[in-house]
Amino acid sequence: MKKTVTLTFSDGSPSIELPIEQGTYGKPVIDIRTLGAHGYFTHDPGFTATSSCTSAITYIDGDEGLLCHRGYPIEELAYKSDFMEVSYLLLHGELPTADQKMAFEQSIRHHTLLHDQMENVFRGFRRSAHPMAVMIGVTGAMSAFYHDGMDNFNPKHREIVAHRLIAKVPTVAAWAFKFNEGQPFVYPQNRLSYAANFMHMMFSTPCEPYEPNPVLARALDRIFILHADHEQNASTSTVRLAGSSGANPYACIAGGMASLWGPLHGGANEAVLHMLDEMGDISRIPEFIARAKDKSSGFRLMGFGHRGDKNMDPGARIIRETGDEVLDELGRRDDPQFKIAMELERIAMDDEYFIERKLYPNVDFYSGIIFRAMGIPTSMFTAMFALARTAGWVAQWNEMLSDPAHKIGRPRQLYTGAACREFVPLDKRGA
Ligand code: ACO
């Protein structure tokens, strides 16, 4: 028998019976969709206990430290798969066969170039513009290049959008960096892997030969996998909400990037490095921990905590190991910042405040240290995240639009403003 829950009211109003739905895993959800007809809404600012959609893409059990994409644990994907395969999996629901993988990679390669006119969009920014500002602007501007004839309800059109975005966003990110540096834009090299091609566009110049280090390229590819999707977080929900109105998908992904940029979300990797820079020395860790515990300071330990994960995120564990590989490859084990980070991690994880609140280091805590060791500047960290998360965003957008019954997202509110009142003409208003 299907489980239900009954809402009863203290004033004797008729009770309401609501169905309880159970997904494959996770907490059961109370389906409240009929509440409006009974004259009630629910109130849950920040969506702390509200499921906003059904999804078959990613499952996180924060208490158990479990993260799966389409049923495959992240540990298996990170070590046995590659980013192209994971992107295909997110998008199509199954791992590709060898032929499907080859066709997918070919399609991605086919789309890596940006329209030549897009160079002008980059050149419209001031030279010092933050790479995320440039990425948001340029990705949004793609909507001007790919709009007419686009039918969001045509699966083939959606597939082209997804391939274009996965292919072009690395070029956009690398060019945002080159523009900051005042170096010429580097065109994609389709003989290289996805991650190696990105390194080539970031670090090669016309003056010297450049060959991406395969150990670093593999590590970067794994970091991309670890950032590819994380179910209904702020940026993914932004993409879904924007896309629910049938808006141009390139503009929707730019919206997701804007949400990601915030320091409480994907901007945390940049904030972690600023925090470590500010600390400067292991001796100052206790001072920062004390500030993080003091609510009046407004300061949080960046790279710690996660809405969904109340155990250590498996992705964070893998990225930590990847960091070891990268620092070994580069001979940078003695990096002073790395030492501060490791000591901060040790002290915080031993501290009652962080233990009680289940505040563990998240992926962003480690990624910045690895990026910096690879020569990627701090201002580019969130752009790296956006690049990889594009695969998840397009998969979630596609999933939403594949459901013919999907509705435009339209949250309700608890209005606390003035009651209706009469307009007072200007000459009758008091000082
Ligand atoms: N440092 C110090 N205290 C913290 C931290 C932190 N990093 N994170 C949470 N807390 C405390 C809060 O003050 C609160 O304490 P209280 O119960 O005494 O009031 C408690 O832990 C719960 O915090 P909430 O803000 O309610 O947790 P929420 O789930 O809303 O926030 C968030 C999650 C935004 C990630 C938060 O942990 C945070 O701000 N972390 C730092 C920023 C960060 O690293 N963001 C990246 C997240 S990963 C990602 O988005 C890709």
Side-chain angles (χ1 to χ4, degrees):
M1 199 178 80
K2 200 157 190 175
K3 233 165 124 180
T4 59
V5 64
T6 306
L7 270 185
T8 56
F9 298 89
S10 53
D11 65 357
S13 307
S15 58
I16 302 168
E17 189 160 288
L18 299 165
I20 296 182
E21 302 292 339
Q22 179 61 63
T24 315
Y25 298 118
K27 294 187 173 72
V29 301
I30 302 171
D31 184 342
I32 56 153
R33 279 175 292 181
T34 56
L35 262 188
H38 290 282
Y40 290 94
F41 295 139
T42 53
H43 184 56
D44 181 20
F47 297 99
T48 58
T50 297
S51 134
S52 60
C53 61
T54 54
S55 180
I57 299 177
T58 294
Y59 175 68
I60 301 171
D61 185 331
D63 295 329
E64 294 297 321
L66 183 70
L67 166 60
C68 293
H69 295 312
R70 302 286 193 181
Y72 295 102
I74 191 70
E75 291 85 349
E76 301 245 352
L77 295 173
Y79 290 111
K80 297 183 184 165
S81 183
D82 60 44
F83 183 69
M84 280 294 89
E85 196 164 72
V86 172
S87 300
Y88 182 99
L89 174 70
L90 292 172
L91 211 48
H92 297 282
E94 296 296 336
L95 287 168
T97 61
D99 284 350
Q100 286 167 332
K101 185 168 188 237
M102 209 198 315
F104 181 70
E105 287 180 353
Q106 256 165 18
S107 174
I108 299 299
R109 288 201 176 100
H110 175 74
H111 288 293
T112 49
L113 263 183
L114 300 183
H115 190 292
D116 207 41
Q117 280 282 106
M118 296 215 34
E119 273 205 39
N120 300 332
V121 182
F122 282 89
R123 298 193 195 286
F125 285 92
R126 60 188 295 174
R127 189 61 81 180
S128 60
H130 192 285
M132 277 305 286
V134 177
M135 272 189 91
I136 293 165
V138 174
T139 307
M142 280 187 207
S143 60
F145 291 81
Y146 310 107
H147 186 70
D148 295 338
M150 162 76 209
D151 176 5
N152 280 346
F153 297 101
N154 180 327
K156 193 69 210 159
H157 287 200
R158 288 203 302 275
E159 185 176 282
I160 294 169
V161 166
H163 290 196
R164 261 196 204 128
L165 277 159
I166 293 170
K168 290 185 196 305
V169 163
T171 315
V172 173
W175 284 22
F177 168 69
K178 287 294 193 194
F179 187 68
N180 273 176
E181 293 290 290
Q183 290 182 7
F185 297 133
V186 174
Y187 287 109
Q189 260 303 341
N190 288 345
R191 72 182 163 85
L192 296 170
S193 71
Y194 191 82
N197 176 46
F198 176 69
M199 290 168 72
H200 157 77
M201 290 190 288
M202 284 284 289
F203 300 123
S204 68
T205 62
C207 348
E208 281 177 22
Y210 173 83
E211 218 24 72
N213 174 328
V215 176
L216 299 186
R218 176 67 196 131
L220 191 58
D221 190 82
R222 192 182 304 144
I223 293 172
F224 289 162
I225 294 175
L226 298 175
H227 284 88
D229 195 52
H230 217 243
E231 52 123 301
Q232 308 310 321
N233 49 71
S235 55
T236 302
S237 299
T238 302
V239 171
R240 279 189 178 256
L241 196 55
S244 73
S245 69
N248 180 291
Y250 303 92
C252 296
I253 298 298
M257 288 177 176
S259 170
L260 186 79
W261 193 6
L264 298 187
H265 191 11
N269 52 15
E270 185 175 338
V272 169
L273 263 281
H274 288 312
M275 181 182 75
L276 295 177
D277 282 344
E278 202 192 328
M279 270 183 201
D281 191 78
I282 286 179
S283 62
R284 292 192 68 201
I285 293 176
E287 177 199 326
F288 278 71
I289 298 247
R291 261 173 74 199
K293 292 185 201 173
D294 173 9
K295 306 284 173 210
S296 65
S297 72
F299 172 76
R300 286 186 165 200
L301 217 50
M302 299 316 289
F304 279 77
H306 194 278
R307 169 66 62 77
D309 293 317
K310 301 304 172 197
N311 197 332
M312 186 145 172
D313 172 5
R317 220 173 266 135
I318 301 167
I319 208 165
R320 193 184 189 284
E321 286 169 20
T322 307
D324 288 342
E325 280 171 36
V326 168
L327 293 171
D328 282 345
E329 173 68 16
L330 295 170
R332 294 192 59 174
R333 275 284 180 169
D334 287 336
D335 183 289
Q337 219 160 24
F338 176 66
K339 287 191 165 159
I340 300 175
M342 291 306 104
E343 188 60 5
L344 174 61
E345 177 203 64
R346 192 188 64 76
I347 295 178
M349 286 180 77
D350 218 22
D351 189 295
E352 227 11 73
Y353 174 95
F354 291 88
I355 295 170
E356 247 172 45
R357 290 168 181 76
K358 299 185 174 166
L359 298 170
Y360 295 91
N362 54 46
V363 166
D364 290 317
F365 182 70
Y366 303 105
S367 62
I369 298 165
I370 308 177
F371 290 149
R372 191 177 270 187
M374 284 178 163
I376 297 165
T378 314
S379 62
M380 274 297 290
F381 293 176
T382 312
M384 305 291 294
F385 192 155
L387 180 172
R389 183 54 58 86
T390 297
W393 288 330
V394 292
Q396 299 266 353
W397 168 81
N398 181 53
E399 181 183 61
M400 175 182 67
L401 293 180
S402 311
D403 176 3
H406 93 271
K407 278 182 175 295
I408 185 169
R410 198 339 183 156
R412 301 295 184 164
Q413 63 167 10
L414 177 63
Y415 175 70
T416 57
C420 276
R421 47 190 168 161
E422 221 168 275
F423 180 81
V424 182
L426 188 58
D427 60 346
K428 299 260 169 15
R429 289 175 215 160

